[in-house]
Amino acid sequence: MSPTLLFLRSSSIGRVVRLCSMLASLAVTPALVNADVVTDWNVIALTQINAHMLVAFVGQDPADIARVMAVSKQFGADVPVLIAREQLDEAAIAAAMQQGARDAVTLVNPLRFRLVVARELEAYNRTQTLNRTISSAREYSDQLKSFMAGSADAIAHVQEGIVVDANPAWLDLYGLPDADPILGTPLM
């Protein structure tokens, strides 16, 4: 599995150990980054990690979240961002989500932290799988259109008994100038 990035700001060793142990229980490998020294060079290096999630431990300053989200946009907008803080209330969670984070968590409740991380990793993986499937379907469709257009044989593409496409040879066979009049026509 690809690593989860941890942006840690002025973090104690205890916080790092707690975060790493919570992620390890989910079989997630953390990649630690000091958020105080995020530079363009670091962002370039981060893009090569191919992380599935970014967990940012921030302070009370709302500008911290804005900085993390700015780095996230450079890193990859589709990677989920979780904001972690020592203390949270509903307003802080809403503010983090309003800035683009998927959720905000504390380390006070390790079970909730693990559940949120697992949920976001599952959602990310499903989205990636869906995107690959859609890409494959588009590629197949393009290959089919290319094959049909280049074929000298008359071919009509029919789905569930309905004409959805026809190649030039098929149109010539039936004396049609284009496919528009036959698209959507039942063909048995």
Side-chain angles (χ1 to χ4, degrees):
M1 173 175 271
S2 291
T4 292
L5 292 178
L6 295 177
F7 275 103
L8 304 167
R9 185 176 177 94
S10 306
S11 298
S12 68
I13 190 68
R15 186 177 299 141
V16 172
V17 169
R18 281 194 322 203
L19 281 168
C20 290
S21 72
M22 285 185 219
L23 291 171
S25 70
L26 295 168
V28 174
T29 306
L32 304 176
V33 177
N34 184 344
D36 292 324
V37 291
V38 173
T39 64
D40 288 341
W41 181 256
N42 290 0
V43 171
I44 291 168
L46 293 178
T47 60
Q48 297 173 356
I49 292 175
N50 189 28
H52 288 193
M53 179 182 294
L54 187 150
V55 178
F57 201 95
V58 299
Q60 300 294 328
D61 185 0
D64 289 349
I65 296 173
R67 277 186 52 220
V68 168
M69 297 313 297
V71 169
S72 169
K73 286 181 181 152
Q74 289 178 302
F75 174 68
D78 61 338
V79 174
V81 176
L82 294 180
I83 299 299
R85 286 181 34 185
E86 286 292 338
Q87 295 179 336
L88 281 171
D89 58 19
E90 291 296 320
I93 294 169
M97 293 176 79
Q98 191 172 28
Q99 291 186 54
R102 296 283 177 94
D103 208 339
V105 295
T106 68
L107 302 183
V108 174
N109 188 340
L111 176 60
R112 182 175 186 280
F113 178 84
R114 285 192 297 269
L115 291 171
V116 169
V117 168
R119 176 193 71 205
E120 292 303 325
L121 286 173
E122 178 68 22
Y124 176 79
N125 289 332
R126 285 182 185 207
T127 299
Q128 294 302 309
T129 300
L130 176 62
N131 289 340
R132 284 191 301 272
T133 303
I134 290 170
S135 177
S136 293
R138 281 190 188 121
E139 186 178 319
Y140 167 76
S141 178
D142 291 344
Q143 289 173 355
L144 179 61
K145 285 181 184 203
S146 176
F147 170 76
M148 286 177 60
S151 176
D153 295 328
I155 302 172
H157 182 189
V158 179
Q159 285 184 335
E160 298 181 15
I162 305 293
V163 176
V164 294
D165 200 5
N167 73 345
W170 197 88
L171 297 172
D172 289 344
L173 180 66
Y174 291 98
L176 298 169
D178 59 49
D180 289 340
I182 60 153
L183 296 182
T185 304
L187 182 69
M188 300 287 171

